[in-house]
Amino acid sequence: MRADKLNKNSVAYVSLKKEQMNEYQAIADAAATVAENTSIVVFTADATSSRVITMPLALAGRQVKFLWQVEQATSDRVLTRASSDDFVGQINCSVQGDGAGDGDVLSVTDGTVAITIVDDVNIGSEVNCYCAVDGQWIITGHITYDAVGSIPTIA
């Protein structure tokens, strides 16, 4: 074996692969904390009441994508920060089946500590969080709602 190659059975190789893996986390009808090694979160159930989703620490290079596998028709999901992190960016919102282009853009201003994704989110909607500098999530996404005026709120 060459000295610059890791043995695929070695502890160092297994640790390296685990750190690089894009872990998937399914969140059902519950509050949750996104695991440190998670990069894809899928909402697999409609929340029966408001559910808080706590982000991992915002460390440069980290990213987390949230996807809706089922319609969020009943209650909200609230994305909150870890520690003293914050959010900044925008989320594009549109109305299902609206050829007139009704929709809105939520501007997430610097210093935002929580984002409430209100109910009526359609399947396939997504929100992406990227971290370019420690302590701040840059948020983007496209959420499709059933009705005009149903856009996320910030705090």
Side-chain angles (χ1 to χ4, degrees):
M1 182 175 86
R2 293 183 8 210
D4 63 341
K5 295 270 186 180
L6 285 175
N7 177 344
K8 290 186 178 181
N9 296 319
S10 73
V11 172
Y13 180 84
V14 172
S15 296
L16 178 66
K17 292 306 281 182
K18 184 161 181 62
E19 288 176 6
Q20 292 176 344
M21 287 176 62
N22 290 330
E23 292 290 325
Y24 163 90
Q25 184 175 349
I27 298 178
D29 185 11
T33 297
V34 177
E36 294 295 321
N37 61 344
T38 294
S39 60
I40 299 172
V41 174
V42 178
F43 295 118
T44 60
D46 183 21
T48 57
S49 65
S50 187
R51 302 296 186 199
V52 173
I53 308 300
T54 304
M55 296 291 293
L57 286 173
L59 300 174
R62 183 172 279 170
Q63 63 185 32
V64 179
K65 176 185 287 256
F66 294 91
L67 296 167
W68 277 260
Q69 177 180 316
V70 297
E71 184 175 358
Q72 178 181 307
T74 308
S75 292
D76 306 337
R77 301 261 186 191
V78 182
L79 301 179
T80 63
R81 67 181 181 175
S83 186
S84 61
D85 298 343
D86 69 356
F87 297 95
V88 65
Q90 68 178 16
I91 300 172
N92 296 303
C93 303
S94 59
V95 178
Q96 176 184 5
D98 188 337
D102 283 339
D104 210 338
V105 176
L106 172 72
S107 293
V108 180
T109 54
D110 191 16
T112 297
V113 298
I115 302 169
T116 300
I117 312 290
V118 298
D119 60 4
D120 291 332
V121 176
N122 287 353
I123 296 170
S125 293
E126 68 177 66
V127 170
N128 302 287
C129 298
Y130 303 98
C131 184
V133 295
D134 289 358
Q136 187 172 68
W137 288 105
I138 300 170
I139 192 162
T140 66
H142 187 171
I143 297 176
T144 303
Y145 284 102
D146 288 335
V148 175
S150 294
I151 69 165
T153 59
I154 62 174

